[in-house]
């Protein structure tokens, strides 16, 4: 989540800074040289450097060492990075993170869009009730949710009971022990959690859309589908960007759900980078290898999220 | 355009400032970290300390001993500490506890902190001893005569100058010494006509075939949390090449797990899975669920250790029995995983003499030994000439005790595979077992891959 905070902070920080610069230039007389601004920035920069940049730099530094966290460290150059891309378990973990994007981002945003559009048509009491219902999973701590979902997915759990009740007993299985279905099962938990957040953001975005646009569309003979693609979707472009950013990071930085539900099992088929980093650092005491994996994960997150900010930026 | 250049210049400056701030700490990690320096500075004088040495007298001054325990095992300590304080009123205790997993992961940091506990439950001593975090107990062992006790399981917590385990200086003691074996459901064994104790692996397989034919689950054991390391090693313990496995667990130079016995044991386990000896959904069942199902009457056998004996006696007295895992032949020596529930004294501990006195007391005081037995189901260890404590009549604890004695007589104690390195069970052995018993990995690949991960983790 720290990466998320950074990205959001960065995105928010950028624009006011530019505006501020313009204003100073216009007033002209109030300019006090470049150092005045730095005095105001310094306290925040000091805190940010100490808690965020320092840890980040240390991770990068550790990633070049073989170190158990206590004893002597040994310089190993890029060996830890080579391992990230050559050890099949590391590669599987990275690949799984990308597979989870489908459930965390695309599915939850698609369903969120549908839900928000439907909710827009309801009267306000029902819309608020359904928003609250969809948002509830956000309030539940993920660790608790993970345990509850483990019960639902167990061989005698609710999912299998329902399947058996409707005559699909043949499909019933211990979902989290199934090499094919364990990862999708975890992905669905992600969808369940994030759908409320997406619905909320998109609903908020839809209330900003000028109602006259809908009237105009209707006058032009647009049906609900056409209306959705011509008016609603462009109108929530900004909210979609936020949704995508947040859910992408949630998918790639997944830890708690996998840790409580499968520990990466069966046979490593649901391993994700977050759990892998944790196990490397705290079970195997290989701080260097864990740091290298963490740095790679951070670069991947940035590589996805930064272009996204650029592509989706609203053009005036 | 000007704004952009100014902004990037500012960002450059911010970046430089941040890098300068962080580069200040850019020596290799570990070389100057406060934890190491504090532990080495406190251990150096401890080694040279000429004046008091170690004392086997318990001071009359009031003292509070700080214990860091495993949650779930605090009952035995509540009883032990109450008894100790009753005998020595000047000693009181402060207890902290945490789950085994958290403990295993955080112990090193807790012990290297200045307010380290006096005694800590700690499973994998090797690396921590090398890093100087654990107190070398040799002086106390000499003073109290711990070296005269049966050494079968204590050797597991001895580490020599090269850092190899199995001999050398003593770094831990057990509060209870565990042994593993086979629990069986007495009623079902009788109904199926299974002769107890099962004397050979072939007999065990025949018994499981009988159980299978009668519609029973032969082995009630789950592998969601990697418990199949037990049956794997139980089989492997009976095969040729035991010393090589021990060397591997002790991290001797050049040791390998890629052994004929590893492949053979893995193949046998895989074959058992194919025959249906294990529950369906074996990889979804965790340890707690499996022991719960077994206690409530599901399954015929359960492969585990004497730590379950207390619970089984309490929840279902008289319903379950225990025998050591059989060998290839009936007259083969009994070899089993048997290990101390290890407790260590951090180098930073403040009351070393008092805690050593307490540890000695746990092993030698009649009441303490009785408490250890009744609460853990394990033998309390200690001097061989002391009378062993006795469990209630008909309790399965008596059978686990007998098995422990048998294993000790045959000198058949071996440490757990999972204790070879801190991460091998959760990172490799466990996940690979999940693949092995579902036919997704060959026994050959299994043995080779575990060795590869072992070398990676140890940086060999």
């Amino acid at each position: 989540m720290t990466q998320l905070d950074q990205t959001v902070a960065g995105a928010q920080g950028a624009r006011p800074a530019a505006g501020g610069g313009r204003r100073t230039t216009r007033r002209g007389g109030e300019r006090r040289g470049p150092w005045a601004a730095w005095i105001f920035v310094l306290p925040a920069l000091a805190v940010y450097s100490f808690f965020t940049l320092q840890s980040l730099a240390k991770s990068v530094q550790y990633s070049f060492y073989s170190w158990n966290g206590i004893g002597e460290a040994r310089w190993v150059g890029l060996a830890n990075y080579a391992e990230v891309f050559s050890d099949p378990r590391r590669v599987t973990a990275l690949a799984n993170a990308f597979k989870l994007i489908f459930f965390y981002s695309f599915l939850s945003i698609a369903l969120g869009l549908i839900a928000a559009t439907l909710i827009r048509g309801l009267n306000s009491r029902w819309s608020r009730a359904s928003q609250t219902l969809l948002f509830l999973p956000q309030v539940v701590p993920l660790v608790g949710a993970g345990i509850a979902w483990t019960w639902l997915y167990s061989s005698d759990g609710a999912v299998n009971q329902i399947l058996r009740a409707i005559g699909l007993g043949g499909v019933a299985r211990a979902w989290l022990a199934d090499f094919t279905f364990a990862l999708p099962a975890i992905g669905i938990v992600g969808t369940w959690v994030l759908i409320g957040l997406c619905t909320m953001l998109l609903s908020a975005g839809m209330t900003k859309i000028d109602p006259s646009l809908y009237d105009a569309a209707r006058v032009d003979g647009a049906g609900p589908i056409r209306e959705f693609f011509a008016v609603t979707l462009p109108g929530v472009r900004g909210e979609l960007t936020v949704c995508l950013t947040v859910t992408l990071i949630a998918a790639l930085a997944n830890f708690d759900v996998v840790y409580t539900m499968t520990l990466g099992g069966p046979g490593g088929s649901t391993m994700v980078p977050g759990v892998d980093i944790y196990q490397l650092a705290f079970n195997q005491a290989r701080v260097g290898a864990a740091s290298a994996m963490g740095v790679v994960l951070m670069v991947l997150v940035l590589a996805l999220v930064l272009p996204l900010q650029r592509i989706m930026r609203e053009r005036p | 355009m000007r704004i952009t250049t100014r902004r990037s210049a500012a960002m450059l400056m911010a970046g430089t400032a941040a890098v300068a701030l962080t580069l200040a700490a850019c020596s290799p990690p570990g070389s100057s970290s406060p934890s190491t320096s504090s532990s080495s500075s406190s251990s150096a004088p401890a080694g040279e300390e000429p004046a008091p040495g170690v004392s086997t007298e318990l001071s009359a001054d009031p003292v509070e001993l700080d214990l860091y325990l495993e949650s779930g095992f605090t009952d035995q300590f509540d009883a032990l500490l109450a008894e100790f304080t009753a005998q020595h009123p000047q000693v009181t205790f402060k207890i902290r506890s945490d789950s085994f997993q958290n403990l295993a992961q955080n112990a090193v940091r807790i012990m290297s902190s200045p307010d380290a506990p006096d005694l800590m439950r700690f499973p994998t001593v090797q690396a921590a001893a090398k890093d100087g975090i654990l107190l070398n107990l040799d002086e106390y062992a000499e003073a109290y005569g711990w070296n005269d006790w049966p050494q079968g399981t204590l050797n597991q917590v001895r580490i020599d100058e090269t850092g190899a385990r199995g001999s050398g200086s003593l770094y831990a003691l057990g509060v209870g010494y565990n042994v593993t074996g086979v629990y069986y459901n007495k009623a079902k064994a009788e109904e199926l006509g299974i002769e107890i104790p099962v004397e050979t692996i072939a007999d065990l397989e025949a018994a499981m075939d009988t159980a299978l034919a009668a519609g029973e689950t032969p082995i009630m054991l789950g592998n969601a949390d990697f418990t199949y390391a037990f049956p794997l090693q139980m089989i492997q313990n009976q095969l040729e090449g035991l010393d090589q496995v021990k060397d591997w667990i002790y991290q001797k130079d050049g040791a390998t797990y890629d052994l004929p016995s590893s492949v053979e044991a893995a193949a046998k386990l895989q074959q058992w899975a194919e025959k249906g000896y294990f529950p369906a959904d074996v990889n979804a069942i965790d340890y707690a669920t499996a022991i719960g199902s077994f206690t409530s009457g599901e399954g015929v056998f359960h492969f585990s250790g004497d730590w379950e004996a207390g619970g089984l006696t309490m929840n279902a007295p008289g319903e379950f029995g225990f025998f050591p895992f059989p060998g290839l032949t009936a007259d083969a020596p009994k070899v089993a995983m048997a290990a101390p529930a290890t407790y260590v004294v951090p180098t930073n501990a403040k009351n070393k003499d008092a805690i050593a006195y307490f540890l000695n007391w746990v092993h030698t005081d009649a009441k303490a030994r009785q408490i250890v037995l009744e609460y853990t189901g394990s033998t309390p260890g200690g001097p061989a000439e002391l009378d062993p404590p006795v469990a209630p009549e008909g309790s399965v604890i008596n059978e686990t005790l007998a098995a422990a004695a048998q294993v000790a007589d045959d000198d058949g104690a071996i440490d757990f595979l999972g204790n070879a390195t801190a991460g091998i069970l959760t990172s490799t052995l466990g996940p690979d077992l999940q693949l092995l018993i579902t036919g997704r990995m060959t026994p050959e690949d299994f043995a080779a891959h575990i060795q590869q991960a072992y070398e990676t983790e140890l940086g060999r």
Side-chain angles (χ1 to χ4, degrees):
Chain A
M1 266 341 237
T2 44
Q3 284 141 340
L4 165 61
D5 296 339
Q6 288 163 31
T7 325
V8 173
Q12 286 169 345
R15 246 166 264 163
R22 208 171 291 136
R23 215 171 297 133
T24 341
T25 327
R26 215 176 294 141
R27 286 192 207 149
E30 286 180 31
R31 289 180 66 173
R32 289 190 187 89
W35 295 106
W38 281 98
I39 293 170
F40 291 103
V41 173
L42 202 64
L45 184 67
V47 171
Y48 184 69
S49 304
F50 185 77
F51 287 107
T52 308
L53 295 180
Q54 190 205 207
S55 342
L56 186 62
K58 279 217 163 131
S59 299
V60 175
Q61 186 204 353
Y62 292 168
S63 68
F64 297 113
Y65 286 89
S66 166
W67 187 40
N68 70 0
I70 299 285
E72 292 272 309
R74 190 164 49 87
W75 174 267
V76 294
L78 290 171
N80 287 325
Y81 288 95
E83 190 192 322
V84 170
F85 297 106
S86 62
D87 186 331
R89 296 260 158 113
R90 296 286 105 73
V91 177
T92 312
L94 288 171
N96 283 346
F98 281 91
K99 288 182 196 161
L100 284 177
I101 290 178
F102 172 76
F103 295 95
Y104 275 66
S105 301
F106 295 117
L107 212 53
S108 58
I109 290 177
L111 293 174
L113 266 175
I114 297 173
T117 313
L118 293 178
I119 285 170
R120 202 173 60 85
L122 295 174
N123 73 41
S124 69
R125 192 197 310 164
W126 285 110
S127 80
R128 207 164 302 153
S130 36
Q131 273 183 0
T132 311
L133 268 181
L134 285 173
F135 196 71
L136 264 184
Q138 278 285 324
V139 184
V140 181
L142 274 181
V143 173
I147 293 170
W149 276 92
T150 310
W151 293 337
L152 292 179
Y153 280 135
S154 74
S155 18
D156 303 322
V159 172
N160 284 327
Q161 285 177 14
I162 292 170
L163 284 175
R164 289 191 190 104
I166 57 172
L168 287 173
V171 189
R173 65 192 73 217
W175 294 95
L176 295 178
D178 190 286
F179 284 81
T180 315
F181 291 104
L183 192 66
I186 283 175
I188 286 171
V189 178
T191 311
W192 171 80
V193 171
L194 290 170
I195 202 175
L197 181 74
C198 293
T199 312
M200 198 75 147
L201 280 169
L202 294 169
S203 293
M206 287 178 195
T207 55
K208 283 187 330 202
I209 300 174
D210 188 349
S212 62
L213 283 177
Y214 285 105
D215 295 338
R218 234 163 277 148
V219 170
D220 287 345
I225 308 275
R226 189 63 208 263
E227 191 181 282
F228 173 79
F229 283 106
V231 181
T232 312
L233 207 50
V236 294
R237 191 190 176 108
E239 285 73 17
L240 271 179
T241 315
V242 176
C243 277
L244 251 177
T245 311
V246 171
T247 54
L248 272 177
I249 293 171
L252 293 178
N254 189 338
F255 172 78
D256 24 25
V257 175
V258 172
Y259 187 78
T260 47
M261 290 179 71
T262 63
L263 261 180
S269 60
T270 61
M271 185 54 79
V272 289
V275 176
D276 199 34
I277 291 168
Y278 176 79
Q279 291 201 341
L280 280 171
F282 296 104
N283 277 344
Q284 304 192 34
R286 297 182 59 211
V287 176
S291 302
M293 188 72 172
V295 170
V296 169
L297 179 64
M298 185 194 70
V299 169
L300 284 176
V301 170
L302 290 180
L304 275 184
V305 169
L306 291 184
L308 189 75
Q309 303 290 329
R310 194 157 287 246
I311 295 166
M312 301 288 278
R313 188 178 295 162
E314 284 169 88
R315 290 181 190 85
Chain B
M1 212 52 226
R2 239 178 90 213
I3 295 165
T4 350
T5 24
R6 261 184 59 198
R7 258 181 67 203
S8 45
M11 277 166 80
L12 195 74
M13 261 157 41
T16 328
V19 168
L21 250 168
T22 48
L23 276 187
C26 207
S27 54
S31 56
S32 68
S33 82
S35 60
T36 345
S37 59
S38 80
S39 75
S40 58
S41 66
S42 61
S43 71
E48 298 155 13
E49 206 169 30
V54 303
S55 163
T56 56
E57 296 290 316
L58 187 62
S59 156
D61 300 332
V63 61
E64 188 188 56
L65 297 182
D66 184 359
L67 311 189
Y68 210 115
L69 308 174
E70 179 184 351
S71 47
F73 289 80
T74 48
D75 286 358
Q76 84 190 69
F77 273 91
D78 288 343
L80 279 173
L81 304 184
E83 179 61 32
F84 191 81
T85 304
Q87 293 183 17
H88 308 283
Q90 73 271 37
V91 181
T92 51
F93 293 92
K94 184 176 107 186
I95 295 187
R96 289 176 275 172
S97 68
D98 209 337
S99 75
F100 185 80
Q101 256 193 343
N102 289 341
L103 206 77
Q105 285 153 12
N106 300 326
V108 167
R109 281 165 283 282
I110 294 167
M111 288 190 290
S112 23
S113 75
D115 62 336
D118 295 311
L119 185 71
M120 181 147 195
R121 169 84 175 103
F122 185 61
T124 42
V125 292
Q126 199 156 4
K130 257 191 266 184
D131 288 332
I133 295 164
L134 306 185
L135 182 69
N136 181 330
L137 297 174
D138 278 351
E139 290 185 336
Y140 290 106
E142 189 69 34
Y144 282 107
W146 296 344
N147 296 329
D148 303 328
W149 298 349
Q151 298 293 309
T153 50
L154 281 184
N155 283 337
Q156 295 172 5
V157 287
R158 289 185 180 276
I159 293 155
D160 67 19
E161 317 79 67
T162 69
R165 208 148 58 98
S167 62
S169 294
L170 186 69
Y171 279 95
L173 278 181
V175 176
Y177 292 78
N178 296 124
V179 70
T180 55
V182 182
Y183 287 99
Y184 64 96
N185 184 315
K186 281 184 179 170
K188 286 191 178 167
E190 192 172 344
E191 194 185 309
L192 297 167
I194 297 170
E195 207 172 305
I196 302 290
V198 178
E199 294 283 5
T200 67
I201 292 185
D203 286 353
L204 184 65
E205 289 178 308
M208 293 196 286
D209 285 333
T210 317
L212 204 57
E216 296 282 354
T217 304
I219 300 174
M220 178 44 73
L221 197 65
N223 194 34
D225 37 15
F226 317 140
T227 317
Y228 273 59
F230 290 168
L232 172 81
Q233 195 185 355
M234 286 174 176
I235 298 168
Q236 186 165 13
N237 286 342
Q238 318 308 323
L239 306 176
E240 288 283 327
L242 200 62
D243 286 339
Q244 287 159 291
V245 180
K246 278 187 187 169
D247 285 351
W248 184 77
I249 296 172
Y250 292 159
Q251 298 178 11
K252 294 262 167 72
D253 273 338
T256 178
Y257 188 72
D258 202 352
L259 302 165
S261 72
S262 310
V263 176
E264 198 183 329
K268 176 72 88 184
L269 195 69
Q270 197 168 46
Q271 190 194 341
W272 284 9
E274 281 161 15
K275 284 193 190 170
Y277 289 170
F278 309 140
D281 312 337
V282 54
N283 282 337
I285 301 172
D286 63 18
Y287 182 82
T289 310
I291 186 71
S293 304
F294 183 70
T295 311
S296 62
E298 275 179 61
V300 182
F301 298 109
H302 175 77
F303 296 178
S304 178
D306 52 11
W307 53 85
E308 291 302 339
L312 284 171
T313 305
M314 212 177 301
N315 296 322
E319 287 181 28
F320 298 98
F322 183 88
F323 56 86
F325 194 86
L328 290 175
T329 57
D331 54 0
K334 296 286 179 257
V335 183
M337 294 89 86
T342 42
Y343 289 80
V344 298
V345 182
T347 315
N348 287 351
K350 290 180 193 67
N351 305 298
K352 299 189 177 85
D353 285 346
I355 206 68
Y357 185 93
F358 171 76
L359 279 173
N360 188 60
W361 175 86
V362 168
H363 286 79
T364 52
D365 182 84
K367 281 187 177 159
R369 290 162 59 84
Q370 187 67 34
I371 292 169
V372 169
L373 175 78
E374 280 179 21
Y375 280 88
T376 65
S378 310
T379 153
E385 63 273 15
L386 286 186
D387 288 334
V390 181
E393 189 70 25
S395 152
V396 70
I397 294 177
N398 283 322
E399 293 174 56
T400 55
L401 265 186
Q406 217 175 342
V407 170
D409 282 349
D410 289 355
D411 196 18
I414 179 170
D415 199 358
F416 293 83
L417 288 180
N419 287 345
T421 73
I424 198 80
L425 182 67
T426 40
S427 67
T428 312
L429 182 56
D432 283 0
L433 276 165
Q434 292 180 331
L435 295 168
L436 179 79
I437 60 174
T438 46
R440 286 175 167 81
M441 192 176 223
T442 66
E444 289 79 11
D445 289 350
F446 174 80
H449 187 243
I450 286 170
Q451 176 58 19
Q452 186 198 331
Y454 176 86
E455 286 171 10
T456 311
E457 185 175 341
L458 296 178
R460 287 190 177 169

